[in-house]
Amino acid sequence: MVVLLIRNGVLVTMDSQRRILEGQSVAIEDGRIAEIGSTAELEKRHSRAEVLDASGRIIMPGIVCGHTHMYGMLLRGASLKITPPSDFTQILQRVWWPVDEALTLEDAYASALVACVEFAKSGVTTFADTYSGPNSISGVLDHVARAVDDVGIKGFVAFEATERHSRDEGFKGLQENVRFAERAKSNPESKAKPLFSLHASFTVSDDLIREAKALAQKYHAPITIHTSEGTGDVQHNLENYGKRTVERLNDLGFLGPDVVLAHCVNLNDHEVGHLAKTRTGVAHNPMSNMLNAVGVAPVLRMLERNVKVGLGNDGYIFDMFENMRAAFLLHRVHHKDPNAIDAYTILEMATINGARLYGLEREIGSIEPGKKADLIIVKPDVLPTPLNAQSAAGHIIHTVDGDDVEHVLVEGKRVMKGRKLTTFDEGKAQLIAQDAAGELWKRLETAKPQVDSFKK
């Protein structure tokens, strides 16, 4: 029995024809999209269903954030007493690795909680997160998963295994992913699903890469690794293995349709070819790449070769509408071509292609009968021009931001209604995060740079 009928909005389906419809309604039953049809016909057939009027609004699939670090929320606004870094490697050594060292299990929950709140309120219904904390490994993914379930959106969660300190540390990180994957078997109702993760090829050995891939396949889970984000990654692999980063990963048998490479900024055409041939996915993080001044990923070349490219935030700006806008602008200015990339391509990256990264394209990423009812309703606060089928994509890229998301549904359940979360107290989440951040900042006052001591 249809329990909810969403009517009268401009429906951005993101189906195979990329249809944008007017005068249509969406019927939801048992957490899935039952049918799409004319408002008059569906209202007649489902007269007892609850009606949600979306007049003057956009109905679109929930956004998929293909790569994030939720613990990064606790660093927002922090004033660190460090020597300003001059390149990406020093950013890791002076900022992120000391933060990783200082994180606790409580920090993992607090940061994930407030991040999930911000995701939900800005229209993200599915994300992929990797946590990094060498002093808070065992059991940490349970804390992250609790936050995901408290808010009620969906997330792939992983511990980012690294051998930065020792080889034992790397395998201990992998075991946390294994432990959580085993736990997930007995907790199928949880919205948090297992993901395997490695930090980056310059902090992991061939043995760890092979083992991580084998374990991910054993548990039928996706796997992710930071790839060629900065030039140091490429240089490390050339100096130690005589291969570029993607070449090394390819030769190790790591690449494949279950793999998501984050960033891929410093790739050449040969490496893009490896991605295309192996059907490996890429999570593009334009705002983080700009923040860290690492360069511009060759996204257009990837798309030309039919590489799956989704959109992430890398733990920086959680409003994915801002990330969409940044991607749209970045590639135009980089190529000095106002036609380099269009709004529909960006929308694909944030919805259906984000779903494809994690093998979910048959379940989410578009509004089609049979798919899970993960969708959002957007009401632009400022709408200077008409909203219709012709203008909707343009408004999503140029007009909308996360604060315009009015309703969020995950498998038909209202996670947000009228800009208010229905699942968790937003104020409480902020207080928990603020307390954790305050303590973390105190610990960071005496933190020292962490120089990568990993050797081949």
Side-chain angles (χ1 to χ4, degrees):
M1 177 181 175
V2 169
V3 296
L4 180 63
L5 194 64
I6 305 175
R7 68 180 186 186
N8 295 337
V10 177
L11 181 58
V12 180
T13 66
M14 300 309 297
D15 64 10
S16 60
Q17 298 173 283
R18 304 296 182 255
R19 293 180 301 162
I20 299 182
L21 308 172
E22 295 182 68
Q24 303 281 296
S25 292
V26 181
I28 296 173
E29 180 180 6
D30 295 329
R32 292 186 179 268
I33 298 165
E35 58 181 320
I36 297 170
S38 74
T39 297
E41 291 178 0
L42 292 191
E43 285 184 328
K44 184 177 180 179
R45 282 207 301 274
H46 307 295
S47 58
R48 301 178 68 178
E50 177 188 356
V51 173
L52 176 55
D53 188 16
S55 298
R57 295 159 174 82
I58 298 166
I59 308 168
M60 62 180 286
I63 295 170
V64 179
C65 177
H67 177 74
T68 191
H69 302 286
M70 295 193 293
Y71 70 88
M73 289 289 282
L74 299 186
L75 206 61
R76 185 175 293 182
S79 179
L80 302 178
K81 298 177 181 179
I82 60 173
T83 302
S86 63
D87 62 18
F88 180 61
T89 300
Q90 288 184 341
I91 289 173
L92 292 176
Q93 293 171 341
R94 299 178 187 180
V95 180
W96 288 110
W97 288 346
V99 170
D100 294 350
E101 298 277 340
L103 290 170
T104 66
L105 297 177
E106 291 74 22
D107 293 335
Y109 173 74
S111 57
L113 180 66
V114 76
C116 286
V117 167
E118 186 158 349
F119 268 150
K121 289 183 68 67
S122 56
V124 173
T125 53
T126 301
F127 63 86
D129 173 72
T130 67
Y131 175 87
S132 179
N135 296 315
S136 53
I137 297 179
S138 299
V140 70
L141 294 182
D142 291 351
H143 293 260
V144 176
R146 179 160 64 95
V148 176
D149 288 329
D150 282 347
V151 176
I153 60 175
K154 299 174 180 177
F156 287 95
V157 300
F159 185 88
E160 193 175 272
T162 176
E163 294 170 292
R164 199 168 80 233
H165 297 96
S166 68
R167 294 184 185 275
D168 287 345
E169 177 189 21
F171 284 91
K172 184 177 180 182
L174 273 190
Q175 284 306 306
E176 173 60 11
N177 291 301
V178 169
R179 186 198 64 79
F180 185 75
E182 289 286 354
R183 173 187 180 272
K185 289 181 181 179
S186 59
N187 192 17
E189 298 303 313
S190 174
K191 294 289 193 293
K193 302 302 180 184
L195 169 70
F196 281 73
S197 173
L198 297 169
H199 170 246
S201 66
F202 61 91
T203 61
V204 294
S205 63
D206 286 357
D207 288 344
L208 193 69
I209 291 172
R210 292 191 187 97
E211 181 68 9
K213 176 72 173 185
L215 288 170
Q217 290 179 323
K218 175 182 177 180
Y219 288 97
H220 304 288
I223 185 168
T224 188
I225 183 172
H226 296 88
T227 305
S228 298
E229 181 175 2
T231 56
D233 191 355
V234 181
Q235 292 165 356
H236 170 88
N237 285 286
L238 287 171
E239 291 170 3
N240 289 278
Y241 301 93
K243 304 173 184 179
R244 293 177 64 87
T245 308
V246 171
E247 289 177 318
R248 178 185 168 206
L249 294 175
N250 181 68
D251 289 351
L252 288 170
F254 182 80
L255 303 182
D258 57 342
V259 176
V260 179
L261 305 184
H263 300 291
C264 288
V265 173
N266 296 283
L267 264 58
N268 63 19
D269 288 337
H270 183 63
E271 291 176 293
V272 172
H274 282 311
L275 302 185
K277 184 176 181 180
T278 58
R279 296 186 292 135
T280 300
V282 173
H284 177 39
N285 302 274
M287 296 191 80
S288 171
N289 295 159
M290 288 189 281
L291 175 70
N292 292 322
V294 293
V296 181
V299 167
L300 298 190
R301 276 184 280 163
M302 295 179 198
L303 295 175
E304 288 170 358
R305 300 290 297 274
N306 294 318
V307 174
K308 296 177 292 185
V309 181
L311 196 63
N313 67 20
D314 199 36
Y316 179 36
I317 300 298
F318 278 67
D319 184 338
M320 290 300 291
F321 288 97
E322 286 195 42
N323 284 274
M324 281 190 267
R325 192 170 297 122
F328 179 81
L329 297 173
L330 176 62
H331 295 286
R332 289 185 167 211
V333 70
H334 177 66
H335 291 278
K336 297 181 180 179
D337 180 0
N339 298 301
I341 199 163
D342 61 27
Y344 286 94
T345 300
I346 299 298
L347 274 172
E348 288 171 350
M349 290 166 61
T351 56
I352 188 64
N353 281 356
R356 286 195 179 105
L357 287 185
Y358 294 94
L360 298 176
E361 66 272 20
R362 294 184 179 180
E363 293 289 320
I364 63 171
S366 62
I367 300 177
E368 301 179 75
K371 285 196 170 185
K372 291 181 178 178
D374 291 6
L375 50 85
I376 63 177
I377 299 174
V378 180
K379 183 181 184 299
D381 185 52
V382 176
L383 195 62
T385 58
L387 172 62
N388 52 41
Q390 291 70 43
S391 67
H395 277 306
I396 291 171
I397 299 301
H398 301 294
T399 305
V400 170
D401 60 32
D403 289 339
D404 293 329
V405 178
E406 190 175 42
H407 301 278
V408 175
L409 284 77
V410 175
E411 296 185 13
K413 180 181 178 181
R414 303 271 195 97
V415 173
M416 185 168 74
K417 182 177 182 180
R419 289 293 305 157
K420 296 291 185 183
L421 284 187
T422 64
T423 53
F424 201 89
D425 185 321
E426 300 169 34
K428 180 180 178 181
Q430 291 188 27
L431 288 175
I432 291 172
Q434 289 169 9
D435 287 345
E439 293 302 315
L440 174 64
W441 292 4
K442 290 178 183 177
R443 295 194 295 275
L444 291 175
E445 289 179 358
T446 57
K448 297 180 180 179
Q450 297 291 322
V451 177
D452 174 13
S453 60
F454 175 77
K455 299 298 180 184
K456 175 183 170 183

